């Protein structure tokens, strides 16, 4: 399917996280270890917030593979951001086109997803009907991921992120049940408003794709002072990834099944349960 990364913390050059780690996201675009596919070459995208911007994220997406895109490397070496998303895509059937590359943007929101709605074509009409009519024209592509995003916006993303994502998941599962799809939803997804990042790991089958979050920065610096991208960052800095950026012990923690994490959380709790309820 896909691989993605979300960074939140001290302003950082995108290059330091996207290219420099041992098993960087760019490396994963060609040689993923934990994905369904080893190669994620059906496009890529990055989205970032500026420390002095108006709160609206910038987005750069392309259908070329990330591993040899000169424009991406050039941009990543010069853009510094306190919060950014990056995604490398392996299509599950929808066309390879720019509008289908993640992350998706609406207002101040960014959204990216790894997974799928099973038999999406059977559920697509009913799912799209549930999108607020005022939002429907904003859907540019043909992916299930983008429909999931606008459903979450419809269901109150502005007021309650976990609640809106849960209502979206509940609708997918209810419609899947009605259409005879036994395990309709597979998702690891990240969403941000420019201030916080929420990352979810959930599937109808209880066997979700991989998702990891970094340990607290002070712990990583103490264990591995040689890691450049953790050397000068604040203690609240966190990275959430589809798969670890390296193999060093004590750096990466698997997000449990049916849970979500918030960065920064404001508490010592690393994650919370995520259990949509079918109605």
């Amino acid at each position: 399917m896909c691989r993605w990364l979300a960074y939140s913390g001290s302003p950082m050059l995108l290059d330091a996280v996207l290219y420099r780690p041992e098993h960087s996201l760019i490396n994963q675009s060609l040689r993923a270890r934990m994905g369904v596919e080893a190669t994620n070459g059906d496009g890529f995208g990055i989205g970032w917030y500026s420390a002095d911007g108006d709160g609206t994220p910038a987005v750069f997406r392309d259908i070329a593979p990330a591993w040899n895109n000169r424009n991406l490397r050039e941009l990543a070496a010069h853009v510094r951001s306190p919060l950014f998303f990056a995604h490398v895509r392996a299509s599950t059937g929808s066309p390879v086109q720019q509008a289908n590359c993640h992350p998706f943007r609406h207002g101040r929101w960014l959204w990216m997803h790894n997974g799928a709605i099973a038999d999406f074509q059977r559920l697509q009409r009913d799912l799209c009907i549930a999108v607020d009519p005022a939002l429907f024209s904003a859907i540019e592509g043909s992916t299930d991921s983008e429909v999931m995003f606008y459903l979450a916006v419809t269901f109150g993303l502005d007021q309650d992120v976990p609640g809106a994502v849960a209502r979206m998941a509940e609708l997918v599962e209810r419609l899947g049940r009605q259409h005879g799809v036994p395990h309709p939803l597979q998702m690891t997804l990240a969403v941000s408003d420019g201030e916080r990042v929420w990352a979810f790991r959930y599937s109808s089958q209880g066997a979700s794709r991989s998702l990891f979050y970094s340990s607290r920065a002070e712990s990583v610096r103490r264990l591995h002072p040689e890691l450049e991208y953790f050397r000068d960052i604040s203690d609240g800095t966190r990275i959430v990834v589809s798969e670890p950026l390296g193999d060093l012990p004590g750096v990466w923690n698997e997000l449990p099944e049916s849970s979500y994490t918030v960065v920064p959380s404001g508490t010592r709790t690393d994650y919370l349960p995520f259990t949509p309820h079918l109605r």
Side-chain angles (χ1 to χ4, degrees), residues 152-202:
V153 176
T154 297
F155 295 150
L157 199 63
D158 277 320
Q159 292 77 42
D160 175 13
V161 172
V165 175
R167 286 186 282 276
M168 176 275 293
E170 289 163 3
L171 176 64
V172 173
E173 295 201 321
R174 176 165 55 82
L175 290 175
R177 183 174 57 190
Q178 293 174 4
H179 287 269
V181 180
H183 303 297
L185 185 58
Q186 173 71 242
M187 70 178 203
T188 61
L189 66 85
V191 57
S192 179
D193 62 357
E195 296 181 2
R196 288 187 287 177
V197 174
W198 293 260
F200 299 81
R201 185 181 185 217
Y202 178 80

Side-chain angles (χ1 to χ4, degrees), residues 1 92 113-118 144-145 148 172 183-187:
M1 291 186 177
T92 56
H113 168 237
N114 173 39
I117 295 177
D144 50 0
S145 303
M148 290 165 64
V172 173
H183 303 297
L185 185 58
Q186 173 71 242
M187 70 178 203

Side-chain angles (χ1 to χ4, degrees), residues 100-235:
N100 285 343
C101 293
H102 309 220
F104 302 102
R105 175 182 60 190
H106 179 73
R108 73 180 193 274
W109 294 100
L110 282 177
W111 174 284
M112 61 184 174
H113 168 237
N114 173 39
I117 295 177
D119 290 328
F120 177 56
Q121 291 76 12
R122 293 168 62 184
L123 280 60
Q124 184 174 8
R125 180 178 180 275
D126 289 340
L127 290 170
C128 287
I129 287 173
V131 173
D132 184 333
L135 296 170
F136 188 78
S137 62
I139 300 175
E140 297 181 337
S142 57
T143 65
D144 50 0
S145 303
E146 190 177 16
V147 173
M148 290 165 64
F149 178 28
Y150 281 97
L151 284 170
V153 176
T154 297
F155 295 150
L157 199 63
D158 277 320
Q159 292 77 42
D160 175 13
V161 172
V165 175
R167 286 186 282 276
M168 176 275 293
E170 289 163 3
L171 176 64
V172 173
E173 295 201 321
R174 176 165 55 82
L175 290 175
R177 183 174 57 190
Q178 293 174 4
H179 287 269
V181 180
H183 303 297
L185 185 58
Q186 173 71 242
M187 70 178 203
T188 61
L189 66 85
V191 57
S192 179
D193 62 357
E195 296 181 2
R196 288 187 287 177
V197 174
W198 293 260
F200 299 81
R201 185 181 185 217
Y202 178 80
S203 64
S204 307
Q205 196 172 8
S208 301
R209 305 298 182 225
S210 59
L211 195 62
F212 295 80
Y213 62 94
S214 63
S215 296
R216 297 183 185 276
E218 63 269 27
S219 300
V220 176
R221 281 196 296 268
R222 186 170 60 252
L223 288 169
H224 304 289
E226 74 280 7
L227 290 181
E228 292 184 14
Y229 56 99
F230 276 98
R231 191 169 296 163
D232 299 317
I233 59 176
S234 67
D235 290 344

Side-chain angles (χ1 to χ4, degrees), residues 1-4 25-26 28-30 39-46 60-69 72 86-92 94-104 113:
M1 291 186 177
C2 307
R3 304 281 84 183
W4 59 255
L25 188 70
I26 304 305
Q28 292 175 34
S29 70
L30 191 58
T39 303
N40 298 273
D42 295 327
F44 68 88
I46 54 174
F60 172 57
R61 301 183 294 179
D62 200 341
I63 62 171
W67 63 78
N68 66 355
N69 191 281
L72 176 60
H87 186 281
V88 291
R89 183 171 184 246
S91 173
T92 56
S94 55
V96 178
Q97 59 190 44
Q98 194 175 103
N100 285 343
C101 293
H102 309 220
F104 302 102
H113 168 237

